[in-house]
Amino acid sequence: MDPKTEELRAAHDALAEFYAANLTDTLAEFPVDRAVLGLFAEFVLAAGLGTDVLDVGCGTGRLEPFLASRGLTPRGVDLSPGMIEVARRDRPDFTFEVADVRELPFADASLAGVVGWYSLMYLAPGDRAVAFAELARVVRPGGFLATAFKAGDSTLRRGGKGANLGVEFDVYWMSPADMESQVNAAGFTTVHWAGRPAGNGLGDNQPQGYLLAVRGR
């Protein structure tokens, strides 16, 4: 494992209990997030390709109950064993496993959709083509991808310091254009994009981006 991946994994191992204590209910606070994930669920169900979807970078598994409530059958993967341990403990009704988005342990065209909810922003520029190609590989033609991300100028930042746990890691606030370019280059076609501006009264201190795309047939 390369040093940056090891740093990211170790940091999120350290952050797992912090996330479980402080971020579990954040989805309830953001109606736009729920709306986009709900639209993703509607697209997946309407496609008639099954209900199995993958939450990539699932963390403590906070999305799984919501996705299941919308008729999907979600499972989660995360680079961090610590995150997966907490997800299995707190949400035993769902399946979670350790995996790297650059090498997903799933067969070709085995899923109806994938979600990358604030998890693809950790990919260094040199890793993105491989990672997005993996997302496309595991999704059936006609299936869907949903992603949320902190929208910026795609420059490197250091994250993690706000938790005051002594951890840091690389993060990229990708521009919406860069995110869409990566998704489209992997074989997906954009069907919906949206955003939340900073300073909107919803507690956002930076812009957020959303993208839904369909896998080419």
Side-chain angles (χ1 to χ4, degrees):
M1 183 178 294
D2 64 89
K4 286 297 184 182
T5 301
E6 180 59 43
E7 178 186 62
L8 182 66
R9 171 180 277 186
H12 282 80
D13 285 347
L15 287 165
E17 293 293 352
F18 176 87
Y19 278 20
N22 295 280
L23 300 180
T24 298
D25 297 327
T26 53
L27 195 59
E29 301 171 9
F30 294 110
V32 177
D33 285 39
R34 298 196 306 274
V36 175
L37 287 169
L39 184 57
F40 166 74
E42 289 190 37
F43 277 136
V44 170
L45 295 175
L49 299 174
T51 62
D52 291 332
V53 298
L54 181 65
D55 180 8
V56 175
C58 63
T60 59
R62 65 189 181 93
L63 296 188
E64 271 59 32
F66 180 86
L67 294 172
S69 75
R70 296 304 186 271
L72 300 179
T73 307
R75 62 188 301 162
V77 297
D78 200 280
L79 181 68
S80 162
M83 289 287 183
I84 293 300
E85 181 179 356
V86 170
R88 288 171 174 167
R89 180 196 71 197
D90 292 351
R91 295 172 179 84
D93 293 338
F94 300 98
T95 299
F96 300 98
E97 59 188 297
V98 177
D100 189 322
V101 66
R102 296 169 297 184
E103 191 175 358
L104 292 170
F106 301 96
D108 295 357
S110 58
L111 300 166
V114 293
V115 176
W117 214 247
Y118 296 103
S119 59
L120 302 178
M121 61 187 184
Y122 304 117
L123 290 166
D127 291 328
R128 290 173 191 161
V130 171
F132 281 90
E134 272 292 273
L135 297 177
R137 179 184 67 78
V138 300
V139 173
R140 298 181 184 109
F144 287 85
L145 174 148
T147 185
F149 55 98
K150 294 181 185 297
D153 58 6
S154 298
T155 58
L156 172 64
R157 291 171 166 81
R158 293 290 282 173
K161 291 180 283 188
N164 295 316
L165 293 176
V167 298
E168 293 186 34
F169 46 83
D170 289 352
V171 62
Y172 298 83
W173 293 4
M174 291 177 66
S175 72
D178 281 351
M179 179 62 78
E180 186 169 22
S181 176
Q182 292 290 334
V183 169
N184 293 165
F188 292 94
T189 299
T190 304
V191 296
H192 178 77
W193 54 260
R196 297 199 323 254
N200 55 18
L202 297 175
D204 292 321
N205 55 16
Q206 68 273 327
Q208 316 291 316
Y210 304 91
L211 183 68
L212 292 175
V214 62
R215 177 76 169 92
R217 293 186 181 275

